[in-house]
Amino acid sequence: MFPSESEDLFDLMGDRPDKPEEACGVFGVYAPGENIATLAYFGLFALQHRGQESAGIATFDGSTVHVHKDMGLVSQVFNEKILQELPGNLAVGHTRYSTTGSSRRVNAQPAVVKTRLGSLALAHNGNLVNTAELRDSLAARNCEFATTTDSEAIAIAIGQEVDSGLGWMEGAIRAFQQCQGAFSLVIGTPDGMIGTRDTNGVRPLVIGTLPGAPERYVLASETCALDIIGADYLRDVEPGEMVWITNDGLASFFWATQPEPKLCVFEMIYFARPDSKFHNDSLYSYRMRLGRRLAIETPIDADIVIAVPDSGVPAAIGYSQVSGITYAEGLIKNRYVGRTFIQPTQTMRESGIRMKLNPLRDVLAGKRVIIVDDSIVRGTTSRKIVKALRDAGATEVHMRISSPPVTHPCFYGIDTDNQSQLIAATKSVQEIADQIGVDTLAYLSEEGMLEATQDATQNFCTACFNGRYPIPVPALLKRSKLMLEKLEPATVGS
């Protein structure tokens, strides 16, 4: 997915990001008579934090599909002229971070496949765990692949079912039943728009409505994408549900016989924007509750509480409220630094975080500091931040993390390293504290994290904290993120 928040602090300094990175943002709008390409553009703009590698929009004007996609940010890929060349009544959009398939233009989405009923355009958030098996099955049916993504495999599977004589809905359901893993999908067709989530609902997908008569519908990864275009939140797409949106309105079908909700809890802790809502509760409020619980579980005497901006801010405020210790800004973030291909000088590398974060010496000097962040994955960023705080005059540095230790990799759409590269999988809390250079380090308990959701605790996937994977993961997938690059390309026939 992205670098947004603090995870890309040192990407510019040549280090791997020190946060988990997620897959993608998906968006769809069915609104005849509206400027749908512009609506899709702004929807993707609001979802930019979910993917900064590539962006794309496909629109349907009757049976004609128009597609534009390229590498880069939404604002770099599209302009007014390009949007004017994307007419139609329905649009599907995507922002990408590569978790299956490398970061190349050919892998940008939406994935477009031709069928006997016309083209379909598919945008995918998540990761399948049976991609190799699905591709082998499709190759045996003489299918060709243009990309190395699991998303294209899903699109081709739908196309195959449609070409066998099924309609859009029946063909899509038949294809979904062949997929194992995490997938939230928005699919455009000449006849309507499909939205679905896997049987566990690992990745989010919401439904919104645009004002007017007749009512028009929007699908998006998060509610923040509804807000930006003036759409009202209607409800979530349920795990194992498919919605079919046409000029007649919205119809719902459940294709999974025994759905079991397992929303990725990291969506709530970190991935989604704080102004997005889950279960009618803003994630800003949830993250403040995490901080309050963190203060109860891990008290420490100090002079100020600061956050790693921006992702640690709500939890830091919550920690301050309960502890009674003053909240202050100790790190100023340069919000206009994105990815760059210009390598910093060695002096800049040695200066640590100042390209992205600059410590406020007059706030920190002589102070005992509590610094709050949402997670530690590898520890590289945390170590540099702690050094910068000490260089700025902090007399003590106590780090508090508003989630449990990340001990297991994710295979459902989050790009985390193998287990040996996750610092909490190989080191104790004290050893991590010693490595990153803090006086004390403490994490929120798993119980506290789940109770703060104010929802049934069994409704969340917490595998990255405890290794309890709700969907079985094949050994091959565990060995390589870019597994498809190592397979022989599928070819037609002979």
Side-chain angles (χ1 to χ4, degrees):
M1 168 188 79
F2 54 115
S4 116
E5 319 300 7
S6 59
E7 78 283 2
D8 61 327
L9 301 179
F10 300 104
D11 189 43
L12 297 176
M13 295 301 173
D15 288 332
R16 294 275 325 262
D18 196 20
K19 296 286 185 179
E21 296 182 283
E22 208 239 347
C24 312
V26 298
F27 184 87
V29 55
Y30 185 90
E34 298 289 337
N35 189 339
I36 56 162
T38 298
L39 292 175
Y41 170 85
F42 282 108
L44 294 182
F45 191 84
L47 297 173
Q48 184 72 86
H49 60 287
R50 298 184 71 91
Q52 294 186 339
E53 290 188 3
S54 64
I57 295 174
T59 64
F60 286 81
D61 186 14
S63 60
T64 303
V65 60
H66 305 270
V67 186
H68 183 82
K69 53 187 178 180
D70 208 341
M71 305 301 292
L73 304 177
V74 175
S75 59
Q76 296 169 329
V77 172
F78 296 99
N79 56 39
E80 289 281 1
K81 181 177 182 298
I82 291 170
L83 293 175
Q84 288 173 5
E85 295 170 352
L86 298 172
N89 295 327
L90 181 162
V92 172
H94 190 266
T95 62
R96 183 169 192 262
Y97 170 81
S98 57
T99 55
T100 296
S102 58
S103 179
R104 296 185 292 155
R105 187 180 185 279
V106 69
N107 285 337
Q109 294 186 37
V112 178
V113 171
K114 293 181 180 179
T115 80
R116 68 179 183 86
L117 297 179
S119 295
L120 71 88
L122 178 145
H124 174 206
N125 176 206
N127 263 20
L128 299 187
V129 298
N130 70 327
T131 307
E133 294 87 348
L134 181 60
R135 283 173 62 99
D136 287 345
S137 172
L138 293 169
R141 298 167 71 176
N142 295 331
C143 295
E144 290 185 299
F145 300 93
T147 79
T148 56
T149 69
D150 54 352
S151 310
E152 183 195 32
I154 302 172
I156 291 175
I158 297 171
Q160 284 289 296
E161 298 301 333
V162 169
D163 285 345
S164 73
L166 299 178
W168 289 118
M169 289 181 288
E170 297 83 359
I173 289 173
R174 186 76 64 84
F176 301 156
Q177 291 170 340
Q178 300 171 39
C179 298
Q180 299 170 21
F183 53 96
S184 286
L185 305 172
V186 176
I187 304 165
T189 77
D191 299 316
M193 182 168 67
I194 294 171
T196 196
R197 293 171 76 194
D198 62 80
T199 57
N200 297 111
V202 176
R203 298 288 151 221
L205 188 64
V206 300
I207 308 170
T209 58
L210 287 166
E215 202 167 46
R216 303 309 191 188
Y217 292 92
V218 182
L219 298 171
S221 292
E222 298 178 34
T223 62
C224 64
L226 306 181
D227 297 337
I228 197 172
I229 63 169
D232 296 319
Y233 169 74
L234 178 64
R235 65 176 179 87
D236 288 9
V237 176
E238 296 297 323
E241 180 187 17
M242 181 184 78
V243 295
W244 173 241
I245 298 169
T246 66
N247 213 39
D248 294 328
L250 182 147
S252 170
F253 308 87
F254 280 87
W255 56 269
T257 55
Q258 292 182 312
E260 183 182 1
K262 289 291 181 182
L263 176 69
C264 170
V265 75
F266 242 118
E267 291 279 359
M268 310 228 356
I269 295 168
Y270 171 67
F271 290 133
R273 266 178 38 172
D275 53 330
S276 286
K277 291 186 176 181
F278 282 61
H279 310 297
N280 294 314
D281 184 31
S282 79
L283 294 185
Y284 188 89
S285 297
Y286 169 67
R287 292 165 188 174
M288 284 185 66
R289 291 197 297 273
L290 293 178
R292 296 185 188 118
R293 179 66 179 256
L294 187 62
I296 294 170
E297 291 185 3
T298 65
I300 192 75
D301 190 24
D303 301 310
I304 58 172
V305 177
I306 69 170
V308 177
D310 290 314
S311 60
V313 170
I317 293 173
Y319 194 104
S320 171
Q321 291 173 342
V322 168
S323 67
I325 300 170
T326 301
Y327 173 77
E329 283 193 88
L331 294 166
I332 299 300
K333 180 178 179 180
N334 178 1
R335 302 182 188 282
Y336 301 97
V337 174
R339 289 195 183 274
T340 178
F341 296 104
I342 307 301
Q343 293 298 312
T345 66
Q346 182 60 31
T347 300
M348 292 170 67
R349 288 177 184 274
E350 292 172 356
S351 73
I353 66 171
R354 288 178 177 81
M355 180 178 282
K356 191 64 185 278
L357 286 179
N358 207 24
L360 284 168
R361 183 175 293 274
D362 53 343
V363 172
L364 299 166
K367 297 294 197 303
R368 298 169 299 166
V369 177
I370 299 170
I371 182 166
V372 179
D373 203 358
D374 55 82
S375 61
I376 301 175
V377 176
R378 302 172 192 92
T380 53
T381 300
S382 300
R383 182 174 65 251
K384 293 181 180 181
I385 290 176
V386 171
K387 182 179 185 302
L389 297 179
R390 293 197 187 280
D391 289 346
T395 58
E396 296 178 11
V397 179
H398 305 276
M399 182 163 279
R400 296 295 181 264
I401 305 299
S402 61
S403 65
V406 177
T407 56
H408 289 74
C410 175
F411 304 99
Y412 308 139
I414 302 174
D415 180 24
T416 50
D417 287 316
N418 63 47
Q419 201 163 18
S420 66
Q421 294 171 304
L422 302 176
I423 191 170
T426 59
K427 297 182 184 300
S428 68
V429 173
Q430 184 58 55
E431 288 171 334
I432 297 170
D434 293 342
Q435 181 162 320
I436 66 178
V438 292
D439 293 278
T440 67
L441 169 67
Y443 293 80
L444 183 64
S445 68
E446 186 173 333
E447 177 187 27
M449 171 190 70
L450 290 173
E451 287 185 358
T453 66
Q454 298 181 350
D455 195 3
T457 58
Q458 70 270 18
N459 287 348
F460 297 91
C461 176
T462 56
C464 54
F465 304 121
N466 54 37
R468 294 194 290 270
Y469 296 103
I471 308 165
V473 181
L476 174 64
L477 186 56
K478 292 180 180 180
R479 288 197 292 268
S480 175
K481 169 194 168 187
L482 299 177
M483 55 179 289
L484 299 180
E485 261 70 5
K486 298 177 182 179
L487 299 177
E488 290 297 322
T491 55
V492 173
S494 66

